[in-house]
Amino acid sequence: MVVLNRIYTRTGDDGTTSLGSGARRKKYDLRVDAYGTLDEVNAALGIVRLHTAGDAVLDPALARIQNDLFDVEADLCMPSETGKGPGGARLTVTDAQVDWLERQIDILNEDLAPLKGDTATPQARVYEKKVDAQGRAYATGKRKDAVARVWVKRGGGKITINGRDQTVYFARPVLQMILNQPLVAAKREDQFDIVCTVSGGGLSGQAGAVRHGISKALTRFEPELRGVLKKGGFLTRDARTVERKKYGKAKARKSFQFSKR
């Protein structure tokens, strides 16, 4: 036999009690706390039953558990022998009732197992090829204050930027190297014709923006290249920008020359 409200009194007084140790509390307060806990459990079961209304096995089992909880709450609310508040009946739970409740919990766990399996193994995102009617993949690339619009299609490897060849627009070899990095990493040199329009920022920022746009466009033309380009860091937008100037400063952090007098 398991006694729910096992009481250990120090003085034998029915008005106050301490549960072995700790502060002394009234039996009335203990029963009120127990009633509140049971009521919360009952409310949770009610919410679960809203989703299991069509289940011929699960819903009746939950209904039986709710009815038993209602009976326990009713016992808690029975008037005492003196007629002052709840707490007249001593609540007990038999071993058979505990075993039955454990079996019901096992049944609920079995019924909820498929739902747990769906949440534990989310499906991996599948990327699809995205091209327009002309067979081009489009993407936008950004770096510093520069923004580039990039169109990629099958071709011989010609790269045009703002109507000019890449070697003319980006005369510095290091900028041309930056431009071709995603193509080299994906092993797609001389396989795509690329048309770009870029504005804002300087040549260095524009080269980074075009590289970002080419990388994104390649993943939309060939989704299989996403792993290689992401590993190389070409799909990540570089958030580093020039720090803003502050008032009272010559630049972002540079101070004016100090004058002692």
Side-chain angles (χ1 to χ4, degrees), residues 93-115:
V93 175
T94 62
D95 295 335
Q97 290 173 324
V98 173
D99 295 338
W100 177 85
L101 186 59
E102 290 178 349
R103 288 196 301 272
Q104 296 301 320
I105 293 174
D106 293 338
I107 293 174
L108 291 176
N109 287 333
E110 293 176 0
D111 293 335
L112 296 176
L115 298 178

Side-chain angles (χ1 to χ4, degrees), residues 181-223:
Q181 279 180 335
L183 295 171
V184 173
K187 299 180 181 180
R188 294 295 187 274
E189 307 99 309
D190 302 328
Q191 296 185 25
F192 290 97
D193 285 340
I194 301 173
V195 177
C196 309
T197 60
V198 60
S199 61
L203 288 177
S204 177
Q206 288 184 355
V210 172
R211 185 185 74 170
H212 187 217
I214 291 174
S215 303
K216 291 171 62 177
L218 285 175
T219 59
R220 293 174 183 176
F221 198 96
E222 292 187 46

